[in-house]
């Protein structure tokens, strides 16, 4: 998975080429030949997520010249996709906490769920809770306050927060209402 945080990107998924805008997720299923490049202007910044995590000694990329070079046992019929965050598609499960699933089992991502979230000043996600899985937040802009095991932390923009499984946590935006 790629999430394009800044700039633009061009990506080839199989035999289809996509122009990707800031605020878009690119879903690349295992076995799908792909590559990405930056046509400019300027640099691009993206978050890359590889799931499930490969063994640290295992090669994670195999270079191929054409899609037919993918070994038969690795080939997939899933074409992947590019999904842009559209404010009109956000739902609001809690007051001031808006979300949009960008990747989940319903869209072909069987190993990861990626949610885009907006937390308005004075609002937050669910109260203190735990999960049976690791959870990650990447703060795109502003600041996110996170209580982890009842200790308060502030994550500024461009920060990655790692929450191990079974650790109590909650998050909220302490910003001032305008």
């Amino acid at each position: 998975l790629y999430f394009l945080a800044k700039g633009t990107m061009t990506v080839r998924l199989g035999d289809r080429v996509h122009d990707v805008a800031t605020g878009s997720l690119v879903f690349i299923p295992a076995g799908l030949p792909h590559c990405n490049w930056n046509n400019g202007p300027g640099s691009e910044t993206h978050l890359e997520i590889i799931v499930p995590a490969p063994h640290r000694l295992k090669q994670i990329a195999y270079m191929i010249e054409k899609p037919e070079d993918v070994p038969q046992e690795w080939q997939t019929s899933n074409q992947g996709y590019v999904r842009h965050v559209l404010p009109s598609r956000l739902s609001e499960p809690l007051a001031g906490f808006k979300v949009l699933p960008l990747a989940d089992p319903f869209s072909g991502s069987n190993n990861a769920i990626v949610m885009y979230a907006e937390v308005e000043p004075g609002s937050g996600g669910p109260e203190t809770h735990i999960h049976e899985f690791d959870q990650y937040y990447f703060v795109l802009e502003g600041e996110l306050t996170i209580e982890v095991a009842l200790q308060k932390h502030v994550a500024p923009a461009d920060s990655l927060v790692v929450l191990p499984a079974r650790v109590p946590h909650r998050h909220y935006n302490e910003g001032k209402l305008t």
Side-chain angles (χ1 to χ4, degrees), residues 22 36 40 42 52 59 66 80 107 119 127-128 151 159 178:
T22 298
N36 63 292
Q59 184 175 352
K66 54 191 178 305
S107 63
V119 184
E127 291 298 320
T128 304
Q151 292 186 12
S159 294
T178 55

Side-chain angles (χ1 to χ4, degrees), residues 7-163:
T8 60
M9 166 194 295
T10 303
V11 65
R12 181 174 50 84
L13 301 174
D15 58 2
R16 297 181 353 217
V17 175
H18 304 267
D19 292 320
V20 184
T22 298
S24 296
L25 178 112
V26 179
F27 172 66
I28 308 163
L32 182 66
H34 62 280
C35 64
N36 63 292
W37 62 94
N38 177 3
N39 287 324
S43 61
E44 63 94 346
T45 303
H46 69 271
L47 184 65
E48 186 169 339
I49 305 160
I50 301 171
V51 288
H55 187 278
R56 66 182 179 87
L57 299 177
K58 187 175 181 180
Q59 184 175 352
I60 63 169
Y62 298 87
M63 301 303 129
I64 62 169
E65 294 293 322
K66 54 191 178 305
E68 298 80 39
D69 293 343
V70 176
Q72 182 67 34
E73 65 273 13
W74 291 1
Q75 292 181 8
T76 180
S77 60
N78 191 333
Q79 294 301 302
Y81 58 82
V82 175
R83 182 163 294 153
H84 188 69
V85 173
L86 297 172
S88 63
R89 295 187 58 213
L90 294 169
S91 64
E92 193 168 1
L94 299 169
F97 179 60
K98 298 176 183 174
V99 297
L100 174 65
L102 297 176
D104 58 22
F106 297 107
S107 63
S109 177
N110 295 321
N111 296 307
I113 296 174
V114 177
M115 300 288 289
Y116 172 86
E118 292 181 2
V119 184
E120 294 178 5
S123 300
E127 291 298 320
T128 304
H129 60 283
I130 63 170
H131 302 287
E132 291 189 37
F133 47 81
D134 295 342
Q135 185 174 14
Y136 304 86
Y137 300 139
F138 186 78
V139 181
L140 295 168
E141 60 184 52
E143 291 183 337
L144 185 66
T145 300
I146 302 146
E147 292 179 10
V148 182
L150 305 177
Q151 292 186 12
K152 183 176 169 180
H153 305 273
V154 177
D158 296 328
S159 294
L160 177 66
V161 178
V162 179
L163 300 167

